[in-house]
Amino acid sequence: NKKAFVELLFWKSPAIICEMTQGYSSLREGEGTTRSRIPPWTPQEEQELRELYWKYKEVEGGDVIAAILAHLPTAGRTRRQLVKQLVRM
């Protein structure tokens, strides 16, 4: 691509840089995106999260998010994902 140098003049995300170096079809296939690696929240998980939040939100001196993570049956969720989902809900 003779005009690739123009693309380098603008800020890029890591996914876009990966797409530029590996070919422009890689991002469309979902190989370079971080969203494809994060499993979506199911309605059952959201209900469990809601119940755990209401259970642990009144505990004084404790970290609500840490308590929810300890009792969340679905493994593999990070603290950041949990906080983001609570804010979204």
Side-chain angles (χ1 to χ4, degrees), residues 1 6-7 10 34-35 40 45 52 54 62 66 69 81:
N1 187 355
V6 175
E7 291 186 23
F10 303 100
T34 57
R35 291 182 188 259
E45 289 176 326
L52 288 171
W54 286 107
L69 274 174
Q81 290 172 346

Side-chain angles (χ1 to χ4, degrees), residues 2-87:
K2 294 179 181 180
K3 297 181 182 179
F5 68 92
V6 175
E7 291 186 23
L8 298 174
L9 297 175
F10 303 100
W11 288 100
K12 304 284 187 245
S13 69
I16 300 298
I17 292 171
C18 180
E19 182 184 26
M20 286 175 58
T21 57
Q22 295 180 0
Y24 287 104
S25 63
S26 66
L27 187 62
R28 280 183 240 121
E29 295 169 0
E31 295 172 2
T33 61
T34 57
R35 291 182 188 259
S36 65
R37 289 183 260 152
I38 300 172
W41 288 82
T42 64
Q44 294 83 11
E45 289 176 326
E46 287 182 357
Q47 182 62 32
E48 291 169 2
L49 180 60
R50 193 174 289 114
E51 290 171 5
L52 288 171
Y53 173 74
W54 286 107
K55 181 178 178 181
Y56 292 109
K57 78 173 191 142
E58 298 296 328
V59 177
E60 291 186 26
D63 186 10
V64 176
I65 304 300
I68 292 173
L69 274 174
H71 293 93
L72 197 64
T74 307
R77 297 287 184 187
T78 64
R79 183 179 179 93
R80 185 175 183 174
Q81 290 172 346
L82 184 66
V83 170
K84 195 173 188 180
Q85 182 65 18
L86 282 171
V87 169

